[in-house]
Amino acid sequence: MIAQKAATFIKHGSCIFMDTGTTNLALAKALPADLKVTIVTNSPAIAAELLRHPLCEVIMTGGQIQRASGGAVGATAASQIQGIIFDQAFIGGCAMDPEMGLTGFDFADCEFKKTVIAQSNQTIVALTTDKIPGVARFVVAKTGDIDVLVVEANMNQDVLNAFATQDVRIVCA
């Protein structure tokens, strides 16, 4: 459900980044067939899914594929990202907390995500309730650096209010 809700944010003709992860793979599957968009991804699985969308231009970052994340997150991928300006970035995460922000367990993956966020006009994170609130080892972004947080409808209201006080737009699926 959160993937379908996140898909509604994508506009025709835009250039977006879609990070590796199961929620973003579901997002790729949820895209309307008539959506004309350029999507850059570091995930082979997402790139393969996006090829099913005939109007979608697919760009995949290169380099070594990290087994833990399923995406290319090294220097080659980061260098490629620095040459692209994104309308939106759909960033995956291991955990998010109103105080600590978006966090992950792998240092290289988190550093790559920071590079993507720096190149994006809007950062959107779609997370399931089991990841919120939560804190992993490495910071990806401060809470206020996330523009939109897409969550499941059964999210704890106190947690949602804490995010809202940090100017994060909360969208419940």
Side-chain angles (χ1 to χ4, degrees):
M1 294 258 308
I2 60 175
Q4 289 84 354
K5 189 64 152 179
T8 65
F9 285 92
I10 301 173
K11 306 290 186 255
H12 284 275
S14 62
C15 178
I16 70 166
F17 180 82
M18 198 174 291
D19 195 13
T20 188
T22 55
T23 300
N24 284 337
L25 179 57
L27 171 61
K29 292 177 180 180
L31 295 179
D34 64 343
L35 181 66
K36 184 174 183 177
V37 65
T38 298
I39 300 180
V40 180
T41 186
N42 60 332
S43 166
I46 290 174
E49 179 60 38
L50 291 171
L51 289 175
R52 299 175 193 257
H53 295 271
L55 301 178
C56 183
E57 177 184 9
V58 181
I59 300 171
M60 187 167 154
T61 59
Q64 182 178 12
I65 304 297
Q66 185 185 56
R67 288 190 188 277
S69 68
V73 298
T76 301
S79 176
Q80 291 170 322
I81 291 299
Q82 290 171 342
I84 305 170
I85 304 296
F86 301 107
D87 296 304
Q88 299 168 312
F90 290 82
I91 302 296
C94 298
M96 190 160 175
D97 179 83
E99 298 296 319
M100 299 303 297
L102 182 66
T103 56
F105 288 107
D106 184 84
F107 179 78
D109 186 39
C110 292
E111 290 300 303
F112 177 78
K113 292 174 194 300
K114 289 178 186 179
T115 302
V116 172
I117 291 170
Q119 296 298 112
S120 181
N121 290 311
Q122 183 182 47
T123 301
I124 301 170
V125 175
L127 293 176
T128 54
T129 56
D130 60 314
K131 296 181 178 184
I132 303 171
V135 178
R137 186 169 297 132
F138 303 106
V139 174
V140 173
K142 295 177 184 176
T143 300
D145 294 335
I146 304 301
D147 298 298
V148 180
L149 178 60
V150 183
V151 297
E152 295 166 307
N154 63 343
M155 181 64 64
N156 178 297
Q157 190 59 48
D158 291 335
V159 174
L160 295 180
N161 292 342
F163 281 115
T165 63
Q166 303 225 16
D167 293 329
V168 176
R169 179 179 172 199
I170 306 296
V171 177
C172 293

